[in-house]
Amino acid sequence: MYKDLQLFNELVEILLQEEKIQPVAKPIPTDKLYQTLDLSLNEHPILDEDFKDTLLDIIKSTPKTASTSFFNQLFGGRLSKAALGDLLAVMLNNSMYTYKVAGPQVGIEKAVLHKICEMIGYGKESDGTFASGGSMSNYMAMVMARDRHSPLSRTEGVTKNMIVYTSEASHYSIQKNASLIGIGRNQVRFIKTNAYGEMLADDLELQIKQDLAKGFHPFFVNATAGTTVLGAFDDVVQISKICKIYKLWLHLDGAYCGGVIFSKKYQHLVNGIELTDSFSVNAHKMLGAPLTCSILVVQDKKYLYHSFSNDADYLYQTANDDFNLGKTSFQCGRRNDALKIWTLWKSVGTEGLERIVDHQFYLADMARNYIKQHPEYRLYSFDDSISVCFNYKGISAKSLCTELYINSEALVGFGSFKNDEFVRLVTINTSLKEEDIMNFFKKIEEFVNNKNLIHKT
């Protein structure tokens, strides 16, 4: 083990150097991957030196999500105290279903969950769990909503047309999850949005009334705190009023931007969060924890137990069920994802997490101001979002992002909304500073001029 840990340290040193020297790895075409790298599994042991060389080749060719040229996904960067927690979780290798095998790690998970419940205004009966990702958090919320509305569905299956509501700008997992829980993809109603990508409460109520008139059974509304493309926040207060009238479960999908709960300046974007039945947030996004760190909390923990608990005497051998986490989780065997957010939170405090969140909005404001001041850019997004959507010189966003990637200049994605396609710069990477944003725009401008991309549109 000590020898492998030494090798690990050597590889990490090289990775940190590579992130500075070559912040965007040269991409390997998929049709050349297996010819370029030795990914084969051999019959006999490999020599240590050859093993190290192979790992180095893989590291150098892997996209560097912690580099300051990574703007592509809704995560990025590397916070050392969070990485420390993740590394310790690997070495401890506890499974989080019972106190007997996880010990104080259960207390760590509970401490994180209870603090988040307290912060968002949930009551004493609240609780939560860690899921394998934002999609799974949304899935679990939908299952609890189904079982509350139709308790027999847990044992007898779904026997009526149950309807789900979500905005047309929401995450794709909602439709997928409706299929997985037996509701059916066609029972998802996509609610219209305004120009900012926010769900229109009037259209939500209209569609609910139409479904009730047809004899259908509405049961679940998914609101979003940070839509995937524009980073919009749905109006929870208005949506919750409708959910209360029609007795619908209200889930707030904060996988992307739910981290605003840590910011005094931006927590108003989720006003009314205490009115929701469940809330999810990915700490591996705004808060900068390593992947994955997805948190789901619920107003009343009885729904977690009702939907996910199952007796297993061979497993649950601790008297206090509050510490048998397997009874409130979709999973049985489950890695310890709580430790990395706990080590980060413990080390920097709540005020440190607030600074992390506020900095991302500050960088987004910087980027928007730059775009507004330069007439060759066109801005599509708005204030109070960390998704900065724009076009440059009318060049196809898809072409520009692809060329930047192929030429190892920057990793940035493109998106679309209401028939507009644009570059989507995400300022969520915790490694970014002011100069990195300015360098990003400078790189685009120099690249376009050097490559003469304007003629390729």
Side-chain angles (χ1 to χ4, degrees), residues 4 20 44 48 60 66 85-86 94 106 121 127 138 171-172 221 242 268 280 331 335 366 373 407 429 441:
D4 285 336
K20 294 179 179 179
H44 303 291
D48 286 350
K60 291 178 180 181
D86 208 16
N94 300 104
V106 172
D127 204 351
N138 292 341
H171 193 255
Y172 74 91
V221 175
I242 296 169
H268 71 276
S280 58
Q331 300 163 263
R335 80 184 306 275
M366 271 189 63
Q373 293 167 10
N407 288 273
N429 185 333
F441 288 115

Side-chain angles (χ1 to χ4, degrees), residues 8 49 64-65 71 76 94 139 190 226 239 268 371 381 430:
F8 173 79
E49 200 58 38
K64 300 178 179 68
T65 62
F71 310 92
N94 300 104
Y139 172 84
F190 292 101
I239 294 170
H268 71 276
I371 291 168
S381 53
T430 53

Side-chain angles (χ1 to χ4, degrees), residues 345-359:
W345 199 339
K346 187 75 171 177
S347 63
V348 304
T350 304
E351 63 182 18
L353 297 181
E354 180 178 28
R355 284 193 297 271
I356 290 171
V357 171
D358 287 352
H359 184 65

Side-chain angles (χ1 to χ4, degrees), residues 273-292:
I273 190 172
E274 72 280 0
L275 304 172
T276 62
D277 294 287
S278 55
F279 165 66
S280 58
V281 57
N282 283 355
H284 62 259
K285 292 184 177 174
M286 265 196 146
L287 303 181
L291 287 159
T292 55

Side-chain angles (χ1 to χ4, degrees), residues 68-126:
T68 55
S69 293
F70 184 80
F71 310 92
N72 199 68
Q73 250 67 45
L74 306 183
F75 70 93
R78 185 185 299 113
L79 296 172
S80 60
K81 291 297 190 296
L84 172 64
D86 208 16
L87 292 170
L88 286 172
V90 170
M91 294 301 292
L92 290 166
N93 200 34
N94 300 104
S95 191
M96 298 299 289
Y97 40 53
T98 72
Y99 185 77
K100 191 173 183 179
V101 296
Q105 301 300 323
V106 172
I108 283 173
E109 180 166 316
K110 285 290 188 180
V112 172
L113 295 169
H114 291 165
K115 185 64 176 178
I116 288 178
C117 287
E118 175 191 320
M119 289 174 64
I120 65 175
Y122 277 8
K124 292 182 179 179
E125 294 304 311
S126 61

Side-chain angles (χ1 to χ4, degrees), residues 22 77 96 118 155 167 171 189 219 307 315 323 335 357 385 428:
Q22 184 67 49
M96 298 299 289
E118 175 191 320
T155 52
S167 93
H171 193 255
R189 305 290 185 259
F219 77 101
S307 292
L315 189 63
F323 287 79
R335 80 184 306 275
V357 171
S385 169
I428 205 167

Side-chain angles (χ1 to χ4, degrees), residues 25 59 67 92 141 153 169 175 178 184 250 276 291 322 363-364 397 437 450 457:
I59 286 171
S67 86
L92 290 166
S153 64
Q175 192 174 28
L250 176 55
T276 62
L291 287 159
D322 281 343
L363 294 179
I437 299 299
N450 291 337
T457 60

